[in-house]
Amino acid sequence: MRSVLRTVLCVVSLLLAAVVVPSAARADNPIVQTIYTADPAPLVHNGRLYLYTGHDEDGSTYFTMRDWRVYSTTDMANWTDHGSPMSLATFAWADADAWAGHVAYRNGRFYWYVPVRQRSTGSKVIGVAVSDSPTGPFRDALGRPLVGNGEIDPNVFIDDDGQAYLYWGNPRLWYVRLNQDMISYSGSPTQIPLTTAGFGTRPGNTSRPTLYEEGPWVFKRNGLYYNVFAAECCSEFIGYSTAPGPTGPWTYRGTIMPRQGGSFTNHAGVIDYKGGSYFFYHNGALPGGGGFTRSVAVEKFTYNGDGTFPTINMTAAGPPQVGTLDPYVRQEAETTAWASGVETEPSGEGGMNVGFIENGDHLKVKGVAFGGGASSFTARAASATSGGRIELRLGSATGTLVGTCTVGGTGGWQTWTSVTCPVSGATGTHDLYLRFTGGSGYLLNLDWWRFTSGGGSGGGELLTNGGMEDGTTGWTTSGGTLSAATGVAHAGSRSLLNSGRTAAWNGPHQNVTAKLTNGRSYTTSVWVRSQSGSPSAKATLTITADGTTSYHQLTPARTVGTNGWTELTGTATVSWTGTLTNASFYVETAAGTDGLYVDDASFR
Ligand code: FUB
């Protein structure tokens, strides 16, 4: 992608600069700009939306696809690149065609069903890989195909009664009942009759009389079963059918997304997230894009009152952001709404980093809530050359400059150091642009960044090491043991673990006495999960003034589990009478002594 897309982007940006098309710079579709992606399959898990895609190789003149990719978001605008946790190499018996797959979650595991070409037969089959994490790595679950009949595009639907169905097919449409283990099935693959009543009429084609082409996406909503599919190649549009049950009988309902977008295929994934409904698809919208160099995009939509789909058209703007992004916790550099001119790669410190950064490249991060104001910016950066500068701009890549961080040479592209620079004028909520400047060639790599608050009238962050990336620094516990938990993190690579608690009030705490202002309102956000059990957790401020101790509940108590992170958040006015001698920010439980993981704590 570097050679092809970068060149085209340069040409396009020169053209755009000449004719001034501001909307192009604001566009957030397609979702990924660093590579070509195709065949979206969304999954919501533990409050995060994961997007599984295929990957069209640069300059492809066929569906040349060798690996799959994962992205995720919590706000539908900023997407985190998780790299490639699965490729053709995962399946030792496959040699080509890493095409459209689908991930299903069951019993604590993630199952990724994909079509590939079987080396020994040269025929398309369906493989299944499994992982304990939504971002992998995934391993071949069987060491052989799950099922195979020369057809493609697997999709799994788990009904309310627990029965899972695997659908797939082009030119026919098949299903088979999966067993509870998700890697075997009962009965034989069964063909769904492709009737014109069920799947529409394909004009003038007697050998293939219905509109169904490929890419089934089956789900249930309000008791009605939907099958959304790519229709009538080529070029394809997205149509759908509904049924009273998972195996039919299906009734064709019409077009969702008409033909458009510069790719002769399309492929849909539909999901609800945070109260909205989202339609994923692909097109040829990136520079150099087309039928074999596609890009995944998303639109928000609302079902009609009778449960039918509205017509959905492709846009460059994409859906509105859900909420804002917190700049005062560690943010991955590869979490962006738009990445211009750069690439991503695996980071030596875990996760991914942004790399191949040249003069004039930029990252856009949408809806960044600076609140009362930021005082400094820290970047985790590396450079095998002499480095460059990170300009922090608001609103656009040429917008208000609120800070500039200089990164020097570190001796290697994976030799990481943290650089900090002052920030002023970053208040309220803005799109943040990290614009890179310097000499010629590659300047620097960026792994993550974080602002420190305190530059405005609203007061700054009171907690030290709230992101827990510096181990136990700043924290102490009232009971049990504190340790840095690596590999268990809400964001970044570490959280704080308080194990061996012996009382509900035991928990990680931090002294904030010198930082507190009497009568001020403070906002708390802290992410918690339990080591065992499902206790009710809360954040509390313990205050001692004139010898009297009082307890201020900073957040409502919420049940936390072992399987994902729960945010404790609230706003409380803190006041006392007399001389304040101690104030401690606590995370504790209302009852129970289960160990607590705590991450991304903010009190300001
Ligand atoms: O990406 C390769 C193939 O193109 C997919 O399997 C089909 O759904 C179509 O999108």
Side-chain angles (χ1 to χ4, degrees):
M1 175 62 72
R2 191 179 329 151
S3 49
V4 176
L5 184 55
R6 182 186 297 281
T7 309
V8 183
L9 280 174
C10 286
V11 173
V12 168
S13 38
L14 283 174
L15 289 173
L16 289 180
V19 295
V20 189
V21 187
S23 61
R26 288 203 301 273
D28 296 323
N29 263 333
I31 290 168
V32 180
Q33 304 83 38
T34 49
I35 58 168
Y36 296 114
T37 53
D39 303 325
L43 171 78
V44 172
H45 182 75
N46 272 348
R48 211 172 171 90
L49 192 153
Y50 293 89
L51 176 62
Y52 299 88
T53 76
H55 170 201
D56 283 341
E57 294 292 331
D58 291 358
S60 289
T61 52
Y62 177 62
F63 299 111
T64 309
M65 305 171 78
R66 304 189 185 107
D67 63 355
W68 294 268
R69 299 284 171 142
V70 186
Y71 303 86
S72 74
T73 186
T74 56
D75 66 6
M76 297 307 296
N78 296 300
W79 290 86
T80 302
D81 185 338
H82 298 284
S84 173
M86 193 168 89
S87 71
L88 287 173
T90 305
F91 304 99
W93 43 267
D95 67 352
D97 301 339
W99 288 5
H102 182 221
V103 176
Y105 172 76
R106 180 166 228 172
N107 302 329
R109 288 191 159 163
F110 301 83
Y111 296 89
W112 201 339
Y113 302 83
V114 287
V116 286
R117 190 175 74 182
Q118 188 172 13
R119 180 182 292 108
S120 60
T121 61
S123 177
K124 296 284 195 305
V125 292
I126 309 299
V128 56
V130 64
S131 175
D132 296 332
S133 159
T135 55
F138 284 80
R139 63 180 189 282
D140 187 0
L142 291 169
R144 57 177 167 76
L146 169 64
V147 65
N149 58 5
E151 301 197 38
I152 59 172
D153 290 2
N155 166 256
V156 166
F157 164 68
I158 305 175
D159 208 346
D160 299 337
D161 62 3
Q163 178 62 59
Y165 298 83
L166 174 72
Y167 303 85
W168 77 102
N170 176 354
R172 295 164 294 181
L173 177 57
W174 302 82
Y175 75 90
V176 72
R177 287 184 169 81
L178 292 174
N179 295 330
Q180 283 278 337
D181 65 8
M182 300 296 275
I183 58 171
S184 63
Y185 56 86
S186 296
S188 301
T190 303
Q191 243 180 283
I192 293 175
L194 289 178
T195 62
T196 53
F199 295 91
T201 303
R202 189 183 295 237
N205 191 327
T206 47
S207 65
R208 197 163 181 174
T210 79
L211 294 169
Y212 176 81
E213 186 76 32
E214 58 186 356
W217 183 272
V218 176
F219 63 98
K220 186 180 187 179
R221 181 178 179 272
N222 295 339
L224 188 64
Y225 295 76
Y226 293 73
N227 183 349
V228 175
F229 55 87
E232 199 189 13
C233 194
C234 292
S235 61
E236 292 174 344
F237 67 94
I238 302 293
Y240 76 114
S241 306
T242 61
T247 62
W250 296 97
T251 301
Y252 183 59
R253 296 293 179 192
T255 299
I256 299 175
M257 177 168 273
R259 296 180 167 98
Q260 58 196 282
S263 161
F264 64 87
T265 65
N266 199 349
H267 192 109
V270 182
I271 207 156
D272 283 356
Y273 181 58
K274 291 190 172 176
S277 296
Y278 295 93
F279 185 87
F280 289 81
Y281 57 94
H282 68 219
N283 61 22
L286 271 192
F292 301 118
T293 43
R294 300 162 290 179
S295 291
V296 164
V298 60
E299 307 296 340
K300 188 175 185 186
F301 73 98
T302 305
Y303 287 93
N304 296 322
D306 61 0
T308 56
F309 270 89
T311 300
I312 302 172
N313 286 303
M314 301 178 184
T315 74
Q321 184 172 12
V322 181
T324 54
L325 183 133
D326 184 353
Y328 302 116
V329 298
R330 169 176 160 158
Q331 296 291 348
E332 298 305 314
E334 65 274 16
T335 299
T336 56
W338 195 268
S340 177
V342 303
E343 294 183 49
T344 61
E345 61 184 354
S347 164
E349 293 198 329
M352 304 289 282
N353 66 255
V354 171
F356 305 98
I357 295 171
E358 291 176 288
N359 182 39
D361 293 346
H362 73 256
L363 306 175
K364 172 188 174 184
V365 186
K366 197 166 180 178
V368 177
F370 292 104
S375 59
S376 68
F377 172 83
T378 298
R380 189 75 173 159
S383 175
T385 57
S386 56
R389 289 177 298 283
I390 307 171
E391 296 179 355
L392 307 169
R393 293 182 177 272
L394 305 183
S396 78
T398 54
T400 306
L401 183 68
V402 295
T404 302
C405 252
T406 300
V407 178
T410 64
W413 293 117
Q414 292 294 327
T415 306
W416 296 99
T417 191
S418 297
V419 292
T420 298
C421 54
V423 170
S424 83
T427 59
T429 298
H430 302 271
D431 294 347
L432 169 70
Y433 287 74
L434 281 67
R435 182 168 184 268
F436 305 98
T437 59
S440 60
Y442 298 129
L443 303 176
L444 58 104
N445 286 352
L446 186 63
D447 195 9
W448 55 260
W449 56 265
R450 182 198 301 153
F451 284 84
T452 299
S453 61
S457 56
E461 176 63 58
L462 273 62
L463 300 179
T464 300
N465 184 31
M468 314 304 176
E469 296 304 315
D470 296 331
T472 58
T473 303
W475 295 92
T476 183
T477 180
S478 47
T481 309
L482 277 192
S483 58
T486 47
V488 184
H490 171 254
S493 56
R494 287 171 162 192
S495 64
L496 184 69
L497 172 62
N498 193 162
S499 55
R501 299 169 62 245
T502 55
W505 57 272
N506 287 172
H509 63 97
Q510 202 167 117
N511 192 311
V512 293
T513 314
K515 303 171 183 171
L516 227 47
T517 303
N518 202 351
R520 240 207 76 196
S521 172
Y522 289 92
T523 299
T524 302
S525 169
V526 55
W527 292 83
V528 182
R529 65 192 280 175
S530 62
Q531 201 179 21
S532 60
S534 47
S536 186
K538 57 184 180 170
T540 305
L541 190 70
T542 303
I543 279 187
T544 304
D546 276 2
T548 303
T549 298
S550 58
Y551 303 95
H552 297 242
Q553 187 149 338
L554 299 175
T555 72
R558 288 191 66 190
T559 302
V560 300
T562 54
N563 216 4
W565 292 92
T566 300
E567 185 183 22
L568 309 177
T569 185
T571 300
T573 300
V574 175
S575 59
W576 60 88
T577 307
T579 304
L580 182 71
T581 52
N582 183 58
S584 281
F585 174 95
Y586 265 84
V587 179
E588 58 186 10
T589 51
T593 57
D594 303 291
L596 293 178
Y597 292 97
V598 177
D599 203 357
D600 293 333
S602 166
F603 179 54
R604 59 173 181 266

